C-alpha cells in the first residue's frame, strides 16, 4: 500500500463497491416492491370477482372459485366463520383464519348457507382484524375501499407456496357482509428477485476486479512520466550536472506542467549556482590583489624597513576592508535579510549623506525639499544610506565637473536621482553594470574603480525595499541613476 497505484486502485474499488452494493440493494427493493404490488393486484382482482358473485346473491356452494393453486380463496362472515373455501386447499396462513373447511354461519343469509354437517365440529373463530374503521358496503355491492394486503402461505395438493392475499368485503342482498380473502402466488417475485440477486453476487466481484485492474493500469500509465522525472532528478543529484533536464511528456496535463516547472527550477538553480561560482571566483580574485599587495609591502618592510610604504599599505587595507564589508552585505542579502520598517525622510537622509562628503573631488549639488515637506519611506536607514553613498561614489568616479542629486515625489513614489556629466553608460550596458563584479573597460583599473559591487548592492537593496534602480542619460550627457521607493502614505490625510 506504499504505492500510489495500489492506493488509487483500492480507493476506486471501494468506492465502486459501495456504489454498486447500494444500487443493487435499491434495485432489489424496487423490483420486489413492484412484483409484490403486481401479485397484490392479481389477488385483488380475484377477490373482487368472488365478492361480485356474493353481491349478486350467488349461493356460497355455487360460487365459481378460481383454481386454488393460482388463487386460493376463503370466504368468511362477520363473525370470522369460514363459509366457503377453494377446492384442494389443505392449509393456509396469513388471512386471519387457518380453517380450510366451511362452517355454519350464525347469520341467516340469502345465499342459502345452512348448517353444514362439519360446522359444529369446528366452532366459531374471530378473524383478529379490527373492522371498526372499515366501511360496510350497501346491500348487493362490493366495498370500494382499498383491500387489506397480507403475506402468507397456502398448501394445495401437498405443495406449499408463498402468496400475497387481498381482503375485499361484499354485502349480499339480505344485508349480510362477507369477506373474501384471495391470494396470488409470489413465486414469480421470488424467482425474479433471486435471479437478480444471484446475477449481482456473481457480477459484482467480476466488475470490482475489472475496476481494480483498469484503475491500476491507468494509474500506472499516468504515473509513468512521474517515474521518469524522478529517475532523471535522481541522476542529476548523483551527477551534480545541473545542465540536464527531466523529460517533458507531450500531453498538456498536470504531469506535463510539473515537468516544465521542474525544468524551469533546474534552469534557475543552474543559473544561481553559476552566479555563485562566478561570485566566489571574482571575490577570490578581488581579495587576492589587495592581500598580495599588502603582503608584498609587509615583506619588503620587514626586510628593508626604510622602504616600507605605509600609506600604500593603509590604502590596501582600507580597500580590503571595504571589499569584505561589501561581500558580507551581499551574503546577508542573499540569505534573505529583510529591511526594517522604520519611517525615513529621504530628503533628510540625502541631505545628511551629502553633508558628510567633505573630501569629494567634485562638490555635490543637492536639490532637497525643505523639512516642512517630508518625503517618507519605510525601510532600513543604513541600507538606504548605502544606496545613496554608492550612487554618489559612482558619480564622483566618472564625473568631469558636476555631480547632482535630487529628491522628489512622483506617482506615489519617492524618486532619488543622481546625475553626472561623465561619459555615461552605453545603452547595451545599462543592465549589465548592475551585475556583481562587472566594470566597464574604462573602469577596470585599480585606481579608477572599485570591485564592481557598489551598483549590484544598490539594486539588491532597492528590490528588497520594493523599489527599483535604473540608469538613463542625464541632461549633461552623463549617467543618471534613479532610485524609486514606495512613498509612505501620510496618516493625517
Amino acid at each position: 500500500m506504499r504505492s500510489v497505484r495500489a492506493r488509487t486502485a483500492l480507493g476506486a474499488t471501494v468506492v465502486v463497491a459501495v456504489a454498486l452494493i447500494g444500487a443493487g440493494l435499491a434495485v432489489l427493493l424496487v423490483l420486489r416492491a413492484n412484483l409484490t404490488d403486481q401479485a397484490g393486484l392479481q389477488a385483488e382482482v380475484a377477490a373482487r370477482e368472488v365478492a361480485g358473485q356474493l353481491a349478486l346473491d350467488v349461493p356460497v356452494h355455487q360460487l365459481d372459485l378460481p383454481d386454488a393453486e393460482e388463487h386460493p380463496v376463503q370466504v368468511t362472515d362477520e363473525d370470522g366463520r369460514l363459509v366457503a373455501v377453494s377446492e384442494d386447499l389443505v392449509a393456509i396462513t396469513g388471512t386471519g383464519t387457518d380453517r380450510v373447511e366451511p362452517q355454519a354461519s350464525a347469520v341467516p343469509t340469502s345465499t342459502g348457507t345452512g348448517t353444514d354437517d362439519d360446522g359444529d365440529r369446528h366452532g366459531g373463530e374471530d378473524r383478529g382484524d379490527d373492522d371498526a374503521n372499515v366501511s360496510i358496503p350497501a346491500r348487493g355491492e362490493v366495498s370500494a375501499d382499498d383491500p387489506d394486503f397480507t403475506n402468507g402461505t397456502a398448501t394445495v395438493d401437498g405443495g406449499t407456496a408463498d402468496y400475497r392475499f387481498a381482503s375485499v368485503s361484499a354485502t349480499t342482498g339480505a344485508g349480510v357482509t362477507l369477506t373474501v380473502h384471495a391470494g396470488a402466488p409470489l413465486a414469480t417475485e421470488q424467482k425474479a428477485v433471486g435471479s437478480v440477486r444471484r446475477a449481482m453476487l456473481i457480477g459484482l466481484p467480476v466488475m470490482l476486479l475489472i475496476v481494480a485492474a483498469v484503475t491500476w493500469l491507468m494509474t500506472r500509465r499516468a504515473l509513468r512520466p512521474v517515474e521518469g522525472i524522478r529517475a532523471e532528478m535522481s541522476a542529476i543529484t548523483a551527477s551534480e550536472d545541473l545542465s540536464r533536464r527531466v523529460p517533458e511528456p507531450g500531453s498538456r496535463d498536470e504531469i506535463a506542467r510539473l515537468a516544465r516547472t521542474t525544468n524551469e527550477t533546474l534552469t534557475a538553480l543552474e543559473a544561481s549556482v553559476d552566479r555563485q561560482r562566478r561570485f566566489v571566483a571574482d571575490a577570490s580574485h578581488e581579495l587576492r590583489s589587495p592581500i598580495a599587495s599588502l603582503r608584498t609591502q609587509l615583506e619588503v618592510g620587514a626586510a628593508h624597513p626604510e622602504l616600507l610604504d605605509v600609506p600604500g599599505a593603509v590604502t590596501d587595507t582600507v580597500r580590503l576592508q571595504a571589499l569584505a564589508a561589501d561581500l558580507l552585505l551581499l551574503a546577508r542579502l542573499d540569505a534573505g535579510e529583510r529591511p526594517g520598517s522604520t519611517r525615513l525622510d529621504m530628503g533628510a537622509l540625502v541631505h545628511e549623506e551629502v553633508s558628510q562628503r567633505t573630501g569629494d573631488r567634485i562638490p555635490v549639488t543637492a536639490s532637497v525639499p525643505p523639512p516642512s515637506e517630508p518625503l517618507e519611506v519605510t525601510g532600513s536607514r543604513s541600507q538606504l544610506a548605502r544606496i545613496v553613498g554608492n550612487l554618489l561614489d559612482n558619480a564622483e568616479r566618472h564625473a568631469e565637473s558636476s555631480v547632482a542629486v535630487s529628491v522628489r515625489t512622483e506617482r506615489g513614489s519617492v524618486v532619488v536621482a543622481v546625475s553626472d556629466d561623465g561619459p555615461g553608460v552605453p545603452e547595451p550596458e545599462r543592465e549589465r553594470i548592475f551585475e556583481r563584479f562587472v566594470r566597464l573597460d574604462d573602469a577596470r583599473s585599480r585606481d579608477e574603480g572599485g570591485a564592481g559591487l557598489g551598483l549590484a548592492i544598490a539594486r539588491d537593496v532597492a528590490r528588497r525595499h520594493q523599489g527599483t534602480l535604473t540608469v538613463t542619460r542625464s541632461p549633461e550627457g552623463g549617467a543618471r541613476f534613479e532610485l524609486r521607493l514606495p512613498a509612505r502614505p501620510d496618516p493625517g490625510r
Side-chain angles (χ1 to χ4, degrees):
M1 297 308 296
R2 296 180 180 178
S3 170
V4 175
R5 295 193 297 269
R7 291 197 297 269
T8 303
L10 178 60
T13 303
V14 170
V15 171
V16 173
V18 172
L20 289 180
I21 291 174
L25 291 177
V27 169
L28 287 177
L29 293 176
V30 172
L31 178 62
R32 174 174 292 177
N34 289 338
L35 293 177
T36 302
D37 291 342
Q38 291 182 8
L41 180 60
Q42 295 175 8
E44 180 182 359
V45 171
R48 289 191 181 277
E49 288 180 356
V50 176
Q53 297 180 49
L54 293 173
L56 295 175
D57 291 334
V58 176
V60 292
H61 63 278
Q62 296 181 2
L63 291 174
D64 183 13
L65 301 179
D67 182 69
E69 188 173 358
E70 292 294 331
H71 299 289
V73 175
Q74 286 180 308
V75 181
T76 59
D77 61 9
E78 294 175 345
D79 296 328
R81 296 176 181 272
L82 183 66
V83 297
V85 67
S86 297
E87 188 178 358
D88 299 330
L89 182 62
V90 178
I92 191 170
T93 61
T95 60
T97 177
D98 57 357
R99 294 187 178 275
V100 293
E101 295 182 4
Q103 302 171 264
S105 176
V107 181
T109 70
S110 61
T111 59
T113 56
T115 302
D116 189 77
D117 293 337
D118 298 330
D120 294 336
R121 290 181 296 170
H122 298 288
E125 182 180 355
D126 294 336
R127 289 180 295 174
D129 295 335
D130 186 7
D131 295 334
N133 297 326
V134 178
S135 61
I136 300 175
R139 293 186 177 187
E141 293 184 0
V142 179
S143 175
D145 294 338
D146 292 336
D148 295 331
F149 293 100
T150 57
N151 291 337
T153 61
T155 303
V156 180
D157 292 336
T160 303
D162 294 327
Y163 287 85
R164 179 76 165 170
F165 292 99
S167 301
V168 178
S169 299
T171 303
T172 64
V176 177
T177 301
L178 300 175
T179 302
V180 180
H181 306 280
L186 294 174
T188 303
E189 177 263 342
Q190 294 173 349
K191 183 177 180 181
V193 172
S195 299
V196 174
R197 182 169 54 245
R198 285 192 298 273
M200 289 183 177
L201 292 177
I202 296 174
L204 180 61
V206 175
M207 186 171 295
L208 293 180
L209 288 176
I210 294 175
V211 170
V214 171
T215 305
W216 174 277
L217 294 176
M218 293 298 294
T219 307
R220 178 182 179 183
R221 181 176 180 181
L223 295 179
R224 188 176 300 165
V226 177
E227 179 60 24
I229 295 174
R230 186 209 62 80
E232 185 63 24
M233 288 295 294
S234 178
I236 293 174
T237 303
S239 64
E240 298 183 358
D241 183 6
L242 296 178
S243 63
R244 300 173 60 174
R245 297 293 179 265
V246 301
E248 295 186 14
S251 59
R252 298 182 180 179
D253 55 8
E254 293 82 356
I255 297 178
R257 292 195 292 271
L258 172 64
R260 286 193 292 271
T261 303
T262 303
N263 285 334
E264 292 173 358
T265 303
L266 289 173
T267 301
L269 182 61
E270 181 183 13
S272 176
V273 171
D274 290 342
R275 185 171 60 252
Q276 193 71 18
R277 289 172 179 171
R278 290 196 305 269
F279 176 78
V280 173
D282 292 337
S284 300
H285 175 74
E286 294 294 335
L287 288 171
R288 183 173 56 189
S289 297
I291 291 176
S293 176
L294 182 60
R295 177 181 177 180
T296 300
Q297 296 180 39
L298 292 176
E299 289 177 348
V300 171
H304 306 282
E306 70 279 4
L307 300 179
L308 177 62
D309 183 9
V310 176
V314 172
T315 301
D316 287 337
T317 304
V318 171
R319 182 167 180 246
L320 185 61
Q321 182 181 9
L323 181 57
D326 289 343
L327 293 176
L328 180 60
L329 177 58
L330 284 174
R332 294 203 307 267
L333 294 176
D334 290 340
E337 178 180 321
R338 295 184 178 181
S341 57
T342 307
R343 295 182 62 176
L344 303 172
D345 183 359
M346 284 302 296
L349 187 147
V350 170
H351 185 271
E352 181 180 352
E353 286 296 316
V354 172
S355 63
Q356 294 177 356
R357 302 178 67 89
T358 57
D360 287 343
R361 180 175 59 90
I362 300 174
V364 179
T365 303
S367 176
V368 181
S372 60
E373 300 179 10
L375 304 177
E376 292 187 339
V377 298
T378 301
S380 170
R381 181 179 185 85
S382 61
Q383 292 185 7
L384 293 178
R386 185 66 174 273
I387 296 179
V388 176
N390 287 356
L391 294 180
L392 292 175
D393 289 342
N394 181 76
E396 288 285 343
R397 188 176 301 115
H398 298 90
E400 294 182 0
S401 60
S402 67
V403 175
V405 59
S406 63
V407 186
R408 70 182 190 278
T409 59
E410 182 178 312
R411 298 178 181 179
S413 300
V414 175
V415 181
V416 179
V418 177
S419 305
D420 63 71
D421 60 350
V425 180
E427 188 171 352
E429 305 289 344
R430 289 179 181 176
E431 283 299 318
R432 196 172 72 88
I433 61 172
F434 292 106
E435 297 179 6
R436 299 175 183 181
F437 297 104
V438 171
R439 291 171 292 179
L440 302 185
D441 292 339
D442 59 351
R444 284 191 178 274
S445 66
R446 177 180 168 186
D447 295 335
E448 292 183 1
L453 294 177
L455 295 179
I457 292 175
R459 171 164 279 191
D460 284 350
V461 172
R463 286 176 175 174
R464 280 161 175 75
H465 284 76
Q466 308 300 319
T468 61
L469 178 61
T470 58
V471 59
T472 58
R473 186 175 181 84
S474 68
E476 295 81 10
R480 177 183 177 88
F481 289 85
E482 286 193 351
L483 169 66
R484 292 179 179 269
L485 298 172
R488 181 182 178 92
D490 188 353
R493 295 184 180 179

